[in-house]
Amino acid sequence: MDCLPKKSEILLDEEIEELEFVKIINSIYKQECYIYAIIPEWEEELFNELSIDFIIINKFPFPLTRISPRTIGFLGYVKDRKKQYMYEFYLRSTTMDFLVFSETDVSQHLKILNKKNIDIYNIFESNKIPHVTIGPDGQWLKIVEY
């Protein structure tokens, strides 16, 4: 019998501060955390802040639907040992379609994604890997455990 995921949510204050957000993440992930995302190329400020810590696996036309203007989205991850980038990703979560936090390294799985199948979430669900996503408008964290 398949193991059903246990899902829970943590409601976030509308204007949550960085220290409070990181405190919540620390209650979920005691050690380091991986941040998996597709970052649009126009997020230059985020790329500059991430410096060499963001490992790019692939790039795709972005957005995927036929909307103008088209740009490039960079699929990759950050191994955030000090949880120093978590809040920056949280702040940009409304402009990124794919963003997942996990303490599991799934970087090898990212290589199988392509422009016809870029569903990062499917990697975690099909492999039953615990993860956290951010709800619409940054209203809550959705925690999925197996």
Side-chain angles (χ1 to χ4, degrees):
M1 187 165 146
D2 280 341
C3 177
L4 294 176
K6 176 186 169 194
K7 297 178 182 180
S8 58
E9 294 176 352
I10 297 176
L11 189 61
L12 301 174
D13 291 335
E14 269 185 52
E15 296 182 21
I16 190 167
E17 298 290 327
E18 182 174 7
L19 290 176
E20 183 64 25
F21 184 79
V22 173
K23 181 179 175 184
I24 292 169
I25 295 297
N26 278 330
S27 73
I28 300 167
Y29 298 125
K30 306 295 185 217
Q31 303 295 317
E32 63 201 15
C33 182
Y34 291 86
I35 305 169
Y36 301 96
I38 296 178
I39 303 176
E41 69 180 336
W42 43 264
E43 283 285 4
E44 294 172 32
E45 186 180 316
L46 181 60
F47 279 116
N48 289 338
E49 185 173 329
L50 293 172
S51 181
I52 60 171
D53 292 334
F54 186 73
I55 309 299
I56 298 173
I57 302 294
N58 208 340
K59 57 186 178 183
F60 304 106
F62 194 79
L64 297 176
T65 55
R66 296 176 188 230
I67 299 173
S68 290
R70 292 189 52 99
T71 186
I72 300 294
F74 295 93
L75 167 68
Y77 68 96
V78 172
K79 186 175 183 178
D80 197 353
R81 290 179 176 91
K82 299 177 186 174
K83 298 183 180 96
Q84 63 192 24
Y85 300 122
M86 305 294 276
Y87 191 68
E88 289 303 318
F89 276 95
Y90 165 73
L91 291 176
R92 291 168 173 82
S93 65
T94 58
T95 61
M96 289 188 206
D97 291 335
F98 298 98
L99 176 60
V100 180
F101 302 143
S102 179
E103 60 185 352
T104 304
D105 180 357
V106 299
S107 57
Q108 293 301 317
H109 293 283
L110 296 179
K111 294 177 182 177
I112 64 169
L113 298 179
N114 56 52
K115 67 182 178 182
K116 292 182 181 178
N117 175 27
I118 64 164
D119 189 357
I120 294 175
Y121 307 117
N122 189 44
I123 290 173
F124 292 90
E125 292 166 2
S126 63
N127 292 295
K128 296 183 177 18
I129 299 170
H131 61 282
V132 174
T133 58
I134 299 172
D137 298 328
Q139 298 170 341
W140 66 81
L141 294 178
K142 180 178 175 185
I143 304 161
V144 181
E145 300 173 296
Y146 293 91

